Amino acid sequence: TTALKNDGTVWAWGYNGNGQLGDGTITNRNTPVQVSGLTNVTAIAGGDAHTIALKNDGTVWAWGYNYYGQLGDGTTTDRNTPVQVSGLTNVSAIAGGGRHSLALKNDGTVWAWGSNSLGELGDGTTTQRNTPVQVGGL
């Protein structure tokens, strides 16, 4: 479970086998711990075992399970602390799918990354993406 405090910090607790608590460990926690190095957050969204955060500067950060590239950092390596999603700026909203992630930019375009076996990234393919691609037709 993940929570955003009104001071812009993010806190998490529960299962942590893939680093999804973002505290630099894979230790399960039964009380909240602060997500490492993350401040000025305005929104959070979660998937099955990953979390994404939107900072007030329009950048997106992600941590946790990354088998499908849903962290958007160009790898499929699990991360137990936040990493910046590659190439995304001027983001105004985020959403997390089970194995993929989404961002709405200030210019009205939508970007997606992660699993795409069912076409969930909307780029006209079923190719998995570990960095954001623009959703077509929006």
Side-chain angles (χ1 to χ4, degrees):
T1 304
T2 309
L4 172 61
K5 291 180 67 173
N6 60 10
D7 67 359
T9 60
V10 179
W11 296 74
W13 61 98
Y15 179 69
N16 197 25
N18 301 103
Q20 56 264 57
L21 301 187
D23 68 343
T25 76
I26 54 168
T27 303
N28 299 336
R29 307 288 184 175
N30 58 13
T31 57
V33 292
Q34 188 171 355
V35 175
S36 297
L38 203 54
T39 58
N40 301 315
V41 174
T42 59
I44 56 174
D48 282 346
H50 76 287
T51 304
I52 56 176
L54 174 61
K55 292 181 68 169
N56 65 1
D57 64 0
T59 60
V60 179
W61 298 73
W63 61 97
Y65 187 56
N66 197 28
Y67 182 83
Y68 299 96
Q70 60 266 52
L71 301 187
D73 69 341
T75 77
T76 55
T77 303
D78 293 352
R79 304 292 183 177
N80 59 18
T81 57
V83 292
Q84 188 170 356
V85 176
S86 298
L88 271 187
T89 58
N90 300 314
V91 173
S92 57
I94 54 173
R99 297 176 178 165
H100 69 290
S101 304
L102 301 143
L104 171 65
K105 293 183 69 168
N106 292 336
D107 65 4
T109 59
V110 178
W111 296 75
W113 59 98
S115 176
N116 199 22
S117 60
L118 302 173
E120 54 264 58
L121 301 187
D123 67 346
T125 75
T126 55
T127 303
Q128 176 177 308
R129 308 288 184 176
N130 58 19
T131 57
V133 293
Q134 188 171 348
V135 175
L138 295 179

